[in-house]
Amino acid sequence: LIVLGDFNSKVGSASSQADSYGGMLGSHGVGSRNAEGEELLSFCTAHRLRVTNTFFRHRAARKLSWCSPMAVAAQQQQQHRSPTAGLHCLDYILVRGQWLSSVHDCWVCRNANPGWEVSDHHPVLAKVRLHLKQQQLSGQTVHHGPTDRPLPH
């Protein structure tokens, strides 16, 4: 199971194992957590999902997926002090815990479409490598994922 989208929530990062929501959150998140972030982490806990964005070390610009309209205006007038001012991480890629080892990287692509101003969100990308096994069971091919459990028919 892979869930991706604009969750309009800030999950921050896990500063300790106790703060990681049972391993759902990594230590490389950015910013602070808000109420929507708490809700997203509760959802992740209920469905055994990991917030992949928080498990990989990147510079701040590669973690921040949304730019506030005020920051865009300031950038256009060159009034900002920091290249990450007004940027937040609101978009996430969530995977089931057993698939986290298949995700090799997750980052925000800030230059995906230069000059394309349809959205104030930057795309979040992930590099995923799946190693699926094939087994023959009673004349039937069954594909298995990382947990080696048969998939439902």
Side-chain angles (χ1 to χ4, degrees), residues 53-131:
N53 308 46
T54 64
F55 284 91
F56 301 97
R57 182 187 307 262
H58 287 287
R59 58 189 167 91
R62 290 278 186 140
K63 296 179 184 183
L64 304 168
S65 62
W66 178 75
C67 188
S68 73
M70 300 279 289
V72 171
Q75 279 181 335
Q76 289 172 348
Q77 296 175 6
Q78 297 182 350
Q79 295 175 350
H80 68 289
R81 293 183 204 137
S82 164
T84 60
L87 292 169
H88 304 278
C89 186
L90 303 178
D91 308 282
Y92 301 98
I93 297 178
L94 314 175
V95 299
R96 280 269 165 87
Q98 68 263 28
W99 291 94
L100 185 60
S101 63
S102 296
V103 180
H104 291 263
D105 200 1
C106 183
W107 70 99
V108 171
C109 185
R110 302 241 351 251
N111 297 320
N113 295 306
W116 185 55
E117 298 173 4
V118 174
S119 175
D120 50 356
H121 292 263
H122 298 285
V124 179
L125 307 175
K127 185 185 293 186
V128 179
R129 179 167 293 159
L130 299 177
H131 298 282

Side-chain angles (χ1 to χ4, degrees), residues 43-55:
F43 173 81
C44 289
T45 301
H47 297 283
R48 299 182 324 271
L49 297 168
R50 306 289 194 263
V51 183
T52 61
N53 308 46
T54 64
F55 284 91

